[in-house]
Amino acid sequence: MEATLTFLGSGTSMGVPTLGCDCAVCTSAISPDGDPRNRRTRPSIRLAYGGHTVLVDTGPDFHAQALREGVRRVDAVLYTHGHADHVMGFDDLRPLSFHAKGNLPIYADDETASAIERIFDYTFRTEDRYPTSARVQLHRLDPAPGAGVDIFGAYFRRIPVTHGSQQITGYRFGSAAYLTDMSDIPEESLPFLQDLDVLILDALRHDPHPSHSHLEKSIAFVEQLKPRRAFFTHMGHDLDHATTEATLPAHIRLAYDGLQLRFEIA
Ligand SMILES: [Zn+2]
Ligand SMILES: [Zn+2]
Ligand SMILES: [Zn+2]
């Protein structure tokens, strides 16, 4: 089964342009003669396959991203972790969840599920629940590396990744993997990242960072894991799209908002 993956956002937590910044990349991101690929909203992806729409994360830009890409329905959402740039669009699932037949299924590891329950507690209250809260059913993922769930005929495996001092969740689905907010890949996750067509990796900037992979390190992961194609995401204003991409081998590209890829998901 073929799937289409759309980058709803490809930016780091602060987005590009970064508020208050006048650097060349931030200026290029919004000026009429700049490079629109430098305009990076907060990171998430949409997967479309078999007539279904599945999201990985809903960041604070989700409302604008959904309008831009014409997202008119969502059938499931998987979350990577509970940081603001990945969960703050959760409330914008409300109108989309009302159209669903049952409750919209949400998948997350235990720590992320607890963060979502805490931040959006009015959604999950059993008494005095806010009446037009999102109609969702939160499913906690099996913590074992590589364990997963079948979602509309595609198998999503949980791939633990290191995000600074935390361990968070990346996903493998069919011939693709999405590893955002990753400073390292633990040994136990490597067997689940073989024979990839598409590998999407965090690459924040040129210089090393305590909780995100940087360009050189992400290139090394690509060389180690040997996917057919790799795309970098969660990028900050350090990376100008055209000049950075010109330094990369042809099978490694920088993602940009709205970029679409096709791959086999099942
Ligand atoms: Zn992030
Ligand atoms: Zn800047
Ligand atoms: Zn994060």
Side-chain angles (χ1 to χ4, degrees):
M1 179 167 46
E2 195 171 58
T4 302
L5 182 155
T6 306
F7 285 89
L8 296 179
S10 57
T12 187
S13 55
M14 296 185 204
V16 183
T18 301
L19 296 181
C21 185
D22 302 314
C23 78
V25 174
C26 287
T27 305
S28 160
I30 47 170
S31 81
D33 51 357
D35 186 343
R37 296 172 302 179
N38 281 331
R39 169 90 179 94
R40 300 178 181 128
T41 58
R42 267 61 70 87
S44 71
I45 55 169
R46 171 185 61 181
L47 298 167
Y49 60 93
H52 292 100
T53 300
V54 175
L55 306 177
V56 181
D57 291 334
T58 55
D61 298 314
F62 175 62
H63 183 273
Q65 292 165 338
L67 291 174
R68 187 192 76 213
E69 298 297 336
V71 176
R72 300 186 57 84
R73 58 178 280 176
V74 172
D75 302 297
V77 185
L78 299 105
Y79 284 96
T80 60
H81 65 307
H83 282 165
D85 53 326
H86 298 264
V87 302
M88 281 307 181
F90 174 85
D91 221 50
D92 287 316
L93 293 171
R94 290 192 300 145
L96 299 167
S97 76
F98 300 156
H99 300 299
K101 270 187 233 116
N103 287 331
L104 177 66
I106 305 286
Y107 301 90
D109 60 42
D110 185 52
E111 192 177 340
T112 307
S114 298
I116 291 169
E117 285 172 332
R118 177 171 46 79
I119 299 166
F120 304 100
D121 73 302
Y122 52 88
T123 302
F124 298 97
R125 254 178 238 159
T126 47
E127 280 170 39
D128 189 29
R129 182 176 173 277
Y130 186 69
T132 57
S133 293
R135 291 183 194 142
V136 297
Q137 178 75 50
L138 190 52
H139 301 276
R140 282 170 153 78
L141 292 167
D142 183 333
V149 283
D150 186 296
I151 304 176
F152 311 120
Y155 197 67
F156 288 75
R157 289 183 189 278
R158 176 175 182 269
I159 310 295
V161 294
T162 308
H163 182 25
S165 60
Q166 262 183 285
Q167 196 181 76
I168 69 153
T169 294
Y171 291 101
R172 163 116 192 212
F173 30 92
S175 61
Y178 182 67
L179 310 181
T180 186
D181 293 62
M182 169 279 292
S183 48
D184 230 321
I185 305 174
E187 197 74 30
E188 73 220 35
S189 294
L190 297 176
F192 305 105
L193 297 170
Q194 307 302 315
D195 304 316
L196 286 166
D197 175 15
V198 175
L199 174 61
I200 299 164
L201 285 179
D202 182 351
L204 179 69
R205 62 184 191 186
H206 287 293
D207 295 332
H209 184 278
S211 51
H212 293 275
S213 183
H214 59 289
L215 202 66
E216 201 180 293
K217 191 172 185 178
S218 297
I219 293 168
F221 280 126
V222 174
E223 284 168 357
Q224 183 190 352
L225 296 168
K226 297 184 172 39
R228 201 162 71 79
R229 302 177 276 167
F231 295 86
F232 292 165
T233 191
H234 211 290
M235 293 171 289
H237 59 164
D238 198 27
L239 304 179
D240 173 64
H241 189 95
T243 56
T244 306
E245 207 175 56
T247 67
L248 297 173
H251 65 295
I252 305 179
R253 300 287 86 186
L254 300 187
Y256 55 87
D257 288 25
L259 172 65
Q260 293 197 331
L261 313 171
R262 297 175 82 77
F263 67 97
E264 287 295 318
I265 198 163

